[in-house]
Amino acid sequence: MRVLLTGGAGFIGGHIAEALARRGHEVVVFDALLESAHGRGARAGREGLVVADVRDRGAVADALRGVDAVCHQAAMVGLGKDFADAPEYVGCNDLGTAVLLAEMAGAGVGGLVLAGSMVVYGEGRYDCPRHGQVRPGPRAVADLAAGRFEPRCPDCGAELTPGLVAESAPTDPRNVYAATKLAQEHLAASWARATGGRAVALRYHNVYGPGMPRDTPYAGVASFFRSSLARDEAPQVFEDGGQRRDFVHVRDVAAANAVALEAVLERAAGSFAAYNTGSGDPHTIGEMAAALAAAHGGPAPEITGGYRLGDVRHVTADSRRLREELGWRPEVGFAEGMKEFAGAAALRAVPAGG
Ligand SMILES: NC(=O)c1ccc[n+]([C@@H]2O[C@H](COP(=O)([O-])OP(=O)(O)OC[C@H]3O[C@@H](n4cnc5c(N)ncnc54)[C@H](O)[C@@H]3O)[C@@H](O)[C@H]2O)c1
Ligand SMILES: [Zn+2]
C-alpha cells in the first residue's frame, strides 16, 4: 500500500519508514524538520522527503495523492521548557491533526494510524488494600519536596499497589503535551465517525532505541541517561528511582505501526480504537539507568531526589489487546535492548539552538 508517513524524519518515524519499505509498501515521508527535534538548518541533504508542516493544507493535499492510509507521527514531544511552549504544542499536535484529517476527508483517504501515548492515562492504575481500585490525584508539591513520592489512597491515605493500565482506564492528561495527545485521539474518532473512516491509535509507552534524539527539553529519559554516560557523567535519576515504566523498543513500535496499517482498511467503517503499545515487562527508571550504566561501563547512576511537576509516579501498560487483536509480538527484550542502546552512535545529534 501507499502510506503517507508524517513525522517520518523523526526517531520513531524513521524506523517506521524502514519497516514499511521492508514489507514492500510505498512510503511518502512528510516532516517539517522542527528545530526542537532536529536543530537548526536540518533541511540540507534530505532527499525523498517532503519538508512541510502538517498545518499546511496545500502541502498535505499534495502529499495525500494516491495514498491508501496515513501514519501520523508528527508531533512536538516531551514536557517542553515551560508553559510558554503550550501554543506550539497545541498548534503542531492538534491543529496539525485537524488539518491532516480535513484533507484526508477531502481526498477520500479512509485509514489512519495515529501515534498515541500512555501519557493520556496520567497517574497509572492503583489498588488500595481497603478501597480496591482508586485514582490518586496529582501529587502535592509538599509531598514531593519531602521525598514522599508514592501516591496515597485518596480515601484513606494508605500505600497503594501499582497495576497495569488497560485501554478502558479513564484518561487523565496531566500536562500540555498529554492534553494534546488526548485531543488528537478525540479528533481522530470524530473524523472516523463523520467520514466513515477507520482510525487506530497506538498508545506507546516509553520508546527507546537507536536514533533517539539527544537530551533536549523535548526528549525522553533514556536519552538523558545515555547522553550523561557519553559525557562520562553519572545519569541523574529523579525521585528515588522507583518510578515504574514500560520501556518498549523502537523497532517493536515500528512493527506495531506496520501491522496496524496493514489491517486498518479492514476495520469497521466509522470506528476508532486505541491499543496500548508496551513491552509487557515493566521496569523502574532506576533499573533502566543502572542497566545503561553497566552496559556502557559506568559511572553508576545518582539518585537525586529531585522531581518534575508534570511527571507521574508509575504507569505501565497492559498491551494484551494489541497482541491478541493485531497479532503483534514485541521482540526486543529489556536487557538486550538497553545493551544495544548503551553502545555508540545510539543518539541523533540535535545541534545547538534546538
Ligand atoms: N518517544 C516516545 O517515547 C513516545 C511515546 C509516546 C508517543 N510518542 C509519539 O510518537 C510520535 C513520534 O515521536 P518521536 O519520539 O519520534 O519524536 P521526534 O521528535 O523524533 O519525531 C517527531 C517528528 O515530527 C515532526 N513534526 C513535528 N511537528 C510537525 C508538524 N507540525 N508538521 C510536520 N512535521 C512535524 C518533527 O520534525 C519530527 O521529525 C509523536 O507523535 C509522539 O507524540 C513518542
Ligand atoms: Zn484506601
Side-chain angles (χ1 to χ4, degrees):
M1 64 201 293
R2 185 173 160 98
V3 176
L4 173 62
L5 173 60
T6 73
F11 163 47
I12 299 171
H15 286 270
I16 297 174
E18 270 174 39
L20 291 175
R22 248 198 328 272
R23 295 161 83 111
H25 302 297
E26 203 186 328
V27 187
V28 181
V29 177
F30 187 107
D31 198 299
L33 300 179
L34 284 197
E35 201 178 306
S36 56
H38 298 271
R40 246 179 263 262
R43 266 154 203 274
R46 298 243 182 182
E47 273 175 42
L49 165 71
V50 181
V51 180
D53 196 293
V54 286
R55 288 167 287 186
D56 178 344
R57 296 194 80 127
V60 171
D62 284 347
L64 279 170
R65 270 198 212 110
V67 158
D68 300 298
V70 174
C71 184
H72 183 34
Q73 305 294 313
M76 246 178 103
V77 302
L79 282 182
K81 289 194 286 283
D82 53 37
F83 199 85
D85 282 343
E88 235 351 78
Y89 273 94
V90 173
C92 278
N93 301 2
D94 296 337
L95 178 57
T97 299
V99 169
L100 174 68
L101 292 169
E103 292 305 320
M104 286 172 71
V109 176
L112 174 77
V113 173
L114 171 71
S117 175
M118 52 85 186
V119 293
V120 300
Y121 297 118
E123 199 56 75
R125 188 211 141 117
Y126 293 88
D127 292 295
C128 166
R130 245 166 298 170
H131 296 96
Q133 203 174 316
V134 292
R135 300 180 57 203
R139 294 178 292 170
V141 176
D143 282 340
L144 291 167
R148 289 187 295 269
F149 300 120
E150 289 294 340
R152 298 277 174 157
C153 175
D155 297 329
C156 69
E159 273 193 36
L160 302 171
T161 314
L164 296 179
V165 189
E167 289 84 354
S168 56
T171 52
D172 185 11
R174 296 276 171 97
N175 55 51
V176 170
Y177 168 67
T180 66
K181 293 307 285 181
L182 183 58
Q184 286 187 312
E185 290 193 8
H186 291 317
L187 290 167
S190 306
W191 163 84
R193 266 195 313 276
T195 65
R198 291 127 172 112
V200 166
L202 299 175
R203 291 177 177 164
Y204 310 156
H205 280 243
N206 290 59
V207 187
Y208 75 99
M212 203 171 178
R214 251 179 235 281
D215 50 353
T216 77
Y218 309 93
V221 62
S223 95
F224 283 102
F225 294 167
R226 180 61 187 72
S227 299
S228 303
L229 288 166
R231 292 189 303 262
D232 257 337
E233 291 167 11
Q236 302 291 301
V237 180
F238 285 149
E239 304 188 13
D240 57 3
Q243 309 92 303
R244 290 164 67 79
R245 294 291 187 276
D246 185 320
F247 298 98
V248 59
H249 197 274
V250 66
R251 285 196 298 273
D252 286 328
V253 170
N257 277 274
V259 296
L261 279 161
E262 285 164 1
V264 72
L265 295 175
E266 315 298 319
R267 304 181 72 91
S271 65
F272 169 86
Y275 292 93
N276 289 340
T277 307
S279 68
D281 179 27
H283 285 272
T284 66
I285 304 261
E287 284 165 2
M288 194 264 284
L292 279 180
H296 189 267
E302 258 167 43
I303 308 290
T304 67
Y307 58 90
R308 301 190 305 183
L309 271 188
D311 282 338
V312 295
R313 177 65 180 170
H314 306 292
V315 58
T316 52
D318 183 344
S319 304
R320 215 167 13 178
R321 196 169 163 202
L322 181 57
R323 293 161 186 247
E324 285 173 4
E325 291 184 19
L326 292 179
W328 171 77
R329 292 278 174 286
E331 284 175 357
V332 185
F334 179 79
E336 174 197 351
M338 288 299 166
K339 207 166 163 196
E340 177 203 44
F341 185 58
L347 294 176
R348 181 176 89 219
V350 176

